[in-house]
Amino acid sequence: MAEPQIAAQFLRHVANCVELTGHSAAGLLARIGVTREVLEDPDGLIPLASFVSFFEDAAELVRNPHFGLHAGRLSGSDSLGPLSFLFLSAPDLRTAFTSFTRHLATMQQASRNQFADEGGWATFSYGVLDQSLTRRRQDAEYSIGAMVSLARQFTGGEIELREVRFEHERVGDYARYRDFFGCDVFFEQDCNAIAMDGRYLDARGRVLSPSLHPILEEHLQRLAGRGTAASLSEQVRAMIEQAPLDAPPDLAEAARRLDLSVPTLHRRLTAEGTGWRKLVHEHRMETAARLLRNSRRNVSMIALDVGFAESASFTRAFARHFGVPPGRYRKGEGAAQK
């Protein structure tokens, strides 16, 4: 599988935020092999791993554990390239989140990106799916913070959040999170997400003309058309990864969404060297590994989180998959730990 990519324009805003602290971003850019010319290229792509690494190194350089939130607070109409303009030109906030969610994959691969509007609640969630990228807290806090900043700009500040959730454990002062988001913030959760009252979704935009929205959508659709179509196993893997842990996807439903029969889905996955059960199992193991790295939940709780009835069978399955049992993996042992 090709290395996941992200639009170089996304890194430009982060590099500029480093410069605003009085530090030079040149050394960090050189470390990941990216020049300023690449950052200014509207069609430029860089490895997602380089972007995430730059963010973590930048936080250490400026000695700010909340650097991701800081960069998110400063997000504006050009911080996410055409996606920022797409969001801010939508006719209403519902369309802004829906269209952003639909087109993010065009500019950032290997990410989970969902928007749900149900039961009076609206929820936007985000996460990097590449489990090998273990240092990604700054990216998560920036991405959630940037979406909140865009939503506030869109509505002229007339929006209040109900809650914010992060996958990782809290680092630094909780008051920083509370002050920025203006609501309760929870850590060591199943996903990175913001939740708000659904009544805000009808709010009209106050920044850009809605006439720009279809033009930007067409542009992003053309960009998407230039990419290589995902393999069937990649499409299935994305479905599995996007589903909540407590509501795993159904095989028949996945086949229906792909316009395939269940036997055909099995046959084509086998031809690609994998299978439905294998993909589900890999997702469970990768999720368990992330929870072991980024949370303080005990092994029994993590076993239940990823669908095992008891911890003994989970421990055996984990050891077979990673070569070490969960406790040793948490301590940093094993070839899979990066």
Side-chain angles (χ1 to χ4, degrees), residues 5-254:
Q5 303 287 301
I6 186 172
Q9 295 177 78
F10 285 17
L11 183 59
R12 180 178 60 191
H13 172 70
V14 182
N16 289 341
C17 287
V18 171
E19 303 282 354
L20 288 174
T21 67
H23 295 80
S24 171
L28 297 179
L29 291 172
R31 189 180 302 174
I32 61 173
V34 173
T35 65
R36 274 286 177 180
E37 289 72 21
V38 172
L39 297 187
E40 300 300 329
D41 181 358
D43 297 320
L45 295 172
I46 61 174
L48 178 60
S50 297
F51 176 84
V52 173
S53 176
F54 180 97
F55 229 137
E56 296 295 330
D57 292 343
E60 294 179 3
L61 174 67
V62 303
R63 298 182 181 179
N64 180 3
H66 302 287
F67 178 69
L69 287 181
H70 174 75
R73 185 191 297 272
L74 296 177
S75 292
S77 60
D78 64 344
S79 56
L80 298 175
L83 282 174
S84 296
F85 293 104
L86 179 75
F87 190 101
L88 295 173
S89 66
D92 54 59
L93 190 59
R94 178 181 288 100
T95 305
F97 275 109
T98 301
S99 57
F100 184 97
T101 301
R102 184 165 57 248
H103 292 290
L104 176 62
T106 300
M107 303 192 71
Q108 179 176 338
Q109 300 170 353
S111 64
R112 178 180 63 250
N113 178 51
Q114 293 181 298
F115 175 68
D117 172 18
E118 53 189 21
W121 279 62
T123 304
F124 172 84
S125 61
Y126 164 83
V128 169
L129 296 177
D130 187 342
Q131 296 297 323
S132 69
L133 304 180
T134 58
R135 298 172 63 238
R136 58 193 195 188
R137 179 175 67 85
Q138 298 298 334
D139 170 70
E141 296 187 3
Y142 165 67
S143 299
I144 293 297
M147 293 306 295
V148 172
S149 293
L150 287 174
R152 286 171 174 166
Q153 291 174 52
F154 186 92
T155 61
E158 296 180 4
I159 183 173
E160 295 180 4
L161 302 179
R162 285 189 175 184
E163 67 179 36
V164 172
R165 302 191 296 273
F166 287 113
E167 294 175 334
H168 52 265
E169 65 181 356
R170 178 174 65 83
V171 175
D173 189 359
Y174 175 80
R176 287 284 190 95
Y177 297 97
R178 176 76 194 195
D179 291 345
F180 177 64
F181 294 112
C183 64
D184 291 331
V185 182
F186 302 94
F187 299 88
E188 300 181 36
Q189 303 297 302
D190 291 337
C191 64
N192 308 301
I194 57 175
M196 68 189 80
D197 195 305
R199 63 188 172 88
Y200 290 115
L201 298 180
D202 294 323
R204 312 296 289 182
R206 301 187 180 186
V207 182
L208 298 176
S209 169
S211 63
L212 294 173
H213 195 74
I215 299 173
L216 291 163
E217 281 214 300
E218 183 179 353
H219 169 68
L220 286 163
Q221 287 167 0
R222 286 198 302 269
L223 289 180
R226 298 176 187 174
T228 302
S231 67
L232 180 65
S233 59
E234 289 172 336
Q235 295 177 61
V236 172
R237 183 179 287 108
M239 290 182 188
I240 294 170
E241 291 171 337
Q242 290 171 4
L245 283 175
D246 58 355
D250 176 74
L251 171 60
E253 173 62 16

